[in-house]
Amino acid sequence: LLATELLRKRHGFRYWAKAVNFVRRARAAYDEALGRVDVLLLPTTSTKAPLLPPPGAPREAVIEAAFSPTGNTQIFDHTHHPALSVPCGESQGLPIGMMLVGRRFEEATLYRAAHAFETSNGLKASRSAPRRSPSRPDRGTPRRRRGRSPGSRR
């Protein structure tokens, strides 16, 4: 919010107008592609899952690790095309996801496509406990603290 206000004060609505125009072009391009097929299949991320930053890493490194793999997914927040990620494999113990993108207001088509993939392919998804991060083996699924209920506040 602060960055938006700063950009507005320094540059007026120039960058906002550019972003709006870009979203319109992107929406039209995806609508055109989805006019020929029911679902688009894309990689969820363009790179392998990054390792978690080590404990005590600078804030910038933590933020970069959190937002760097979202490049393929962010556009659909703006074009309003439904998209979901389905695990489709592993590489060196790290998950690989495929993203299914559908026409606006046709989420049911995505659910059917994801279900068909999960039930028909030979991938044996691991339903066991979540894996620990290779860069932070001491970290994993958070455990509840003793003596507190899940909904209680301090």
Side-chain angles (χ1 to χ4, degrees):
L1 190 60
L2 292 175
T4 303
E5 182 62 17
L6 179 65
L7 278 174
R8 188 192 64 77
K9 283 187 175 189
R10 288 189 181 172
H11 305 286
F13 290 101
R14 177 178 176 214
Y15 292 108
W16 177 81
K18 283 179 168 268
V20 168
N21 288 334
F22 173 77
V23 168
R24 287 179 184 156
R25 288 191 306 272
R27 182 181 299 138
Y30 283 112
D31 284 343
E32 181 183 341
L34 287 163
R36 295 186 299 266
V37 296
D38 292 328
V39 173
L40 298 176
L41 186 138
L42 306 167
T44 301
T45 63
S46 57
T47 61
K48 277 188 186 176
L51 296 176
L52 294 174
R59 183 179 339 177
E60 293 80 12
V62 174
I63 292 171
E64 181 180 343
F67 288 102
S68 65
T70 63
N72 284 3
T73 61
Q74 290 176 355
I75 188 67
F76 301 110
D77 293 338
H78 305 286
T79 65
H80 304 289
H81 289 92
L84 60 86
S85 181
V86 179
C88 65
E90 288 185 354
S91 174
Q92 298 175 349
L94 296 173
I96 297 173
M98 68 175 193
M99 183 169 56
L100 301 174
V101 180
R103 294 180 193 106
R104 289 179 284 153
F105 308 108
E106 293 188 18
E107 289 86 355
T109 304
L110 287 183
Y111 297 142
R112 285 192 299 272
H115 182 267
F117 174 78
E118 287 181 337
T119 57
S120 69
N121 81 354
L123 179 66
K124 301 292 186 232
S126 173
R127 303 282 183 211
S128 62
R131 292 206 177 109
R132 303 217 180 259
S133 164
S135 66
R136 296 176 79 175
D138 60 320
R139 302 284 303 246
T141 305
R143 295 186 181 154
R144 281 190 19 220
R145 294 182 183 179
R146 291 184 187 172
R148 294 173 62 190
S149 65
S152 70
R153 294 185 176 193
R154 290 184 181 196

